[in-house]
Amino acid sequence: MRARERRNSGTITIVWVEPIPVDLSGVPETLLWNLGRRAAAARSGASVLDDPLAIEVVDRLQYDFGDVSRGVMWHAVRVATFDEAVRGFLNEHPAGTVVALGEGLETQFWRLDNGRMHWLTVDLPATMDLRRRVLPEDPRQRSYAGSALDLRWLDHVDRAAPVLVTAQGLLMYFQRSEVHELIAAIAARLPGSLFVFDVVPEAMLELARRQHGRESKQAVELWSWFFGFRERVAISQIPGVAGIRDLVPPRASGIVPLILRAVRRLPRRARYALPVLPVLEVRFR
Ligand SMILES: C[S@@+](CC[C@H](N)C(=O)[O-])C[C@H]1O[C@@H](n2cnc3c(N)ncnc32)[C@H](O)[C@@H]1O
């Protein structure tokens, strides 16, 4: 057991918390890389990401996060780009539904909760089990323990309200045909919805191959689907796709947001030749 401080209006309470063991491998383990970086960004006080719950979760898990300092700001800006997309959707549709595919231990619900939105988390059973042990659950949250690829999660989406689907750090682990089938299924079953996801360009694979860390090595083994100009065209031609655009990273202090916003202004071919992960939004008819 270990102690954790809770600071509340000037008083400090010591809360004894059992550490929670983590037993994940393969793609599910990658959720810890993202969580570790969100917590590191939040601890650093970077204005781009305020995520006290991520810090709390990291402190509770019995897991060696290793050195998460590399790429923290790049990751934080990507997360903030997702947040901005979801926030924009909720501004238009405050009671809309957000479906988070492969959500892992993302704490986005608590970063963005407007008190009215509905949320569906879709992730593999082992990950959902950990998520339920670590994170609180609000009555407006539901979950589906299963693969995003088996499509049964679509039966759990309330189609009466507008829907935004996200897949943060997920599609690169699928085969190309699986990604295309997933997009086609969302188009067919959730017309009028939006799908926001990040992608790994080939240049990112080249960079990861040159790096020596444990995460880079695992990523090279696990990534299957790579993005580029031709993939963008192919996605835009999937029946039901009305449009596809690269999202603009939010304005924030620091060099990384500046670089990423500058990259976003490059012509597409040049942009996708760089080792950065674009965040895309697909709109369905
Ligand atoms: C890189 S993590 C991303 C987690 C979270 N979205 C984030 O950004 O912190 C990949 C996530 O995808 C989940 N995952 C892997 N295969 C999946 C599948 N077929 N269907 C749904 N989720 C899957 C893993 O369990 C894990 O939570």
Side-chain angles (χ1 to χ4, degrees):
M1 272 214 279
R2 61 188 164 168
R4 198 151 40 89
E5 280 185 8
R6 274 242 162 93
R7 287 164 198 270
N8 219 340
S9 36
T11 58
I12 300 175
T13 320
I14 303 294
V15 183
W16 289 94
V17 182
E18 286 282 359
I20 296 177
V22 178
D23 184 19
L24 295 176
S25 58
V27 179
E29 189 183 3
T30 64
L31 73 87
L32 296 151
W33 311 347
N34 290 7
L35 171 67
R37 292 211 161 75
R38 283 201 314 282
R43 277 190 222 275
S44 77
S47 62
V48 73
L49 191 69
D50 185 22
D51 198 341
L53 188 53
I55 298 176
E56 213 173 304
V57 172
V58 162
D59 287 347
R60 284 197 70 187
L61 294 181
Q62 214 169 41
Y63 179 78
D64 176 9
F65 284 87
D67 177 13
V68 286
S69 61
R70 203 174 59 198
V72 165
M73 277 313 290
W74 298 90
H75 187 76
V77 175
R78 194 159 67 248
V79 174
T81 308
F82 274 88
D83 280 5
E84 191 107 316
V86 177
R87 208 177 279 116
F89 167 78
L90 292 172
N91 283 343
E92 266 186 60
H93 311 288
T97 298
V98 177
V99 181
L101 303 179
E103 195 176 19
L105 292 180
E106 240 296 7
T107 40
Q108 192 180 41
F109 177 92
W110 295 274
R111 291 197 302 273
L112 301 180
D113 189 16
N114 64 1
R116 291 178 62 195
M117 67 189 195
H118 293 265
W119 202 273
L120 174 66
T121 298
V122 177
D123 209 309
L124 299 174
T127 302
M128 282 310 308
D129 181 52
L130 179 64
R131 187 176 169 92
R132 287 190 188 114
R133 278 186 291 146
V134 171
L135 289 171
E137 220 168 39
D138 185 277
R140 284 172 290 109
Q141 279 178 296
R142 284 176 306 130
S143 58
Y144 176 81
S147 172
L149 297 173
D150 77 18
L151 302 184
R152 275 175 291 176
W153 59 268
L154 282 157
D155 300 336
H156 296 253
V157 182
D158 172 13
R159 266 157 259 175
V163 178
L164 170 78
V165 183
T166 67
Q168 190 190 154
L170 178 67
L171 301 189
M172 57 288 283
Y173 300 107
F174 292 165
Q175 301 297 318
R176 177 178 189 263
S177 59
E178 293 173 332
V179 172
H180 286 222
E181 280 161 27
L182 178 63
I183 294 173
I186 300 174
R189 300 278 301 274
L190 301 174
S193 65
L194 296 169
F195 186 25
V196 176
F197 52 92
D198 50 357
V199 290
V200 172
E202 296 269 357
M204 194 72 200
L205 175 68
E206 297 311 321
L207 179 69
R209 279 197 178 122
R210 288 197 299 274
Q211 291 173 336
H212 300 293
R214 175 175 65 119
E215 287 180 20
S216 305
K217 284 201 171 71
Q218 272 178 269
V220 169
E221 279 172 24
L222 295 171
W223 286 337
S224 307
W225 177 57
F226 299 97
F227 189 78
F229 187 73
R230 280 210 299 253
E231 265 308 87
R232 185 192 164 101
V233 173
I235 289 173
S236 70
Q237 290 170 348
I238 293 175
V241 170
I244 176 166
R245 68 183 180 112
D246 290 39
L247 296 183
V248 186
R251 279 179 204 285
S253 57
I255 187 75
V256 175
L258 264 183
I259 294 173
L260 287 174
R261 288 176 68 86
V263 167
R264 173 64 184 75
R265 285 194 291 272
L266 293 173
R268 280 180 203 132
R269 279 182 200 279
R271 196 188 309 160
Y272 300 150
L274 295 172
V276 294
L277 274 59
V279 180
L280 302 174
E281 179 196 82
V282 165
R283 205 162 28 84
F284 298 107
R285 286 195 184 91

